[in-house]
Amino acid sequence: MEIVIKYHVKDLPPLCPIGNVSDWIDLRAAERVEMKAGEFRIISLGVSMRLPEGYEAHLAPRSSTFQKYGILQTNSVGVIDNSYSGDDDIWGMPALAMRDTIIEKGERICQFRLVRKMEPVAFVEVEHLSGPARGGFGSTGSL
């Protein structure tokens, strides 16, 4: 599978899968970022891509991102569909700083993987569902 990519920052390493270790691909901060505790900003990842038809990218923080930089990805997981594919559709990570922090240009802060889009669905309204009730939201493990 090929992904067409435009790099907006020429001195960052090119993207590549993490060997045989993972099917996620690391993304880097495209600029030096200073954030104060409580500050929100979208950190540029310096790339635009045209994803293959029928796929979307799921963007998530790396496991060490909060520990190293004290930032949270504010939308939990980002979904980038293949229509976000123009020259100026630069990928970014929406981040909230929980402490004062500095992220140097080129630091790996998040990762993405390709996921096949969901097939179209139709909803059929009924009066009752046939499955057994499990006890409502938050009941797993309490029965």
Side-chain angles (χ1 to χ4, degrees):
M1 177 181 323
E2 288 185 344
I3 298 176
V4 178
I5 186 167
K6 177 179 179 179
Y7 292 98
H8 296 273
V9 179
K10 301 299 183 193
D11 59 346
L12 291 179
L15 298 187
C16 63
I18 309 169
N20 294 329
V21 178
S22 174
D23 58 354
W24 289 79
I25 299 168
D26 286 341
L27 294 160
R28 299 170 184 270
E31 59 192 343
R32 184 177 192 270
V33 174
E34 277 190 61
M35 296 176 73
K36 299 291 184 195
E39 183 180 352
F40 168 83
R41 106 180 253 175
I42 297 176
I43 300 172
S44 176
L45 302 171
V47 295
S48 299
M49 296 183 222
R50 188 176 71 232
L51 301 177
E53 189 62 38
Y55 286 87
E56 62 192 24
H58 289 188
L59 182 85
R62 296 183 76 237
S63 60
S64 61
T65 298
F66 184 77
Q67 179 184 1
K68 285 183 178 179
Y69 308 110
I71 60 171
L72 299 172
Q73 184 173 324
T74 58
N75 58 345
S76 184
V77 68
V79 178
I80 303 168
D81 65 41
N82 62 337
S83 69
Y84 191 71
S85 60
D87 280 342
D88 295 325
D89 293 335
I90 300 171
W91 289 24
M93 178 187 177
L96 176 66
M98 303 308 292
R99 64 176 188 255
D100 292 358
T101 190
I102 296 174
I103 303 167
E104 295 297 338
K105 178 180 176 181
E107 291 294 320
R108 297 178 300 159
I109 58 171
C110 58
Q111 56 194 338
F112 79 96
R113 70 180 307 185
L114 293 181
V115 177
R116 189 170 280 288
K117 288 184 177 183
M118 184 171 74
E119 296 293 323
V121 298
F123 293 94
V124 178
E125 185 176 355
V126 297
E127 289 295 321
H128 301 284
L129 300 174
S130 62
R134 291 183 38 197
F137 185 81
S139 64
T140 301
S142 65
L143 299 176

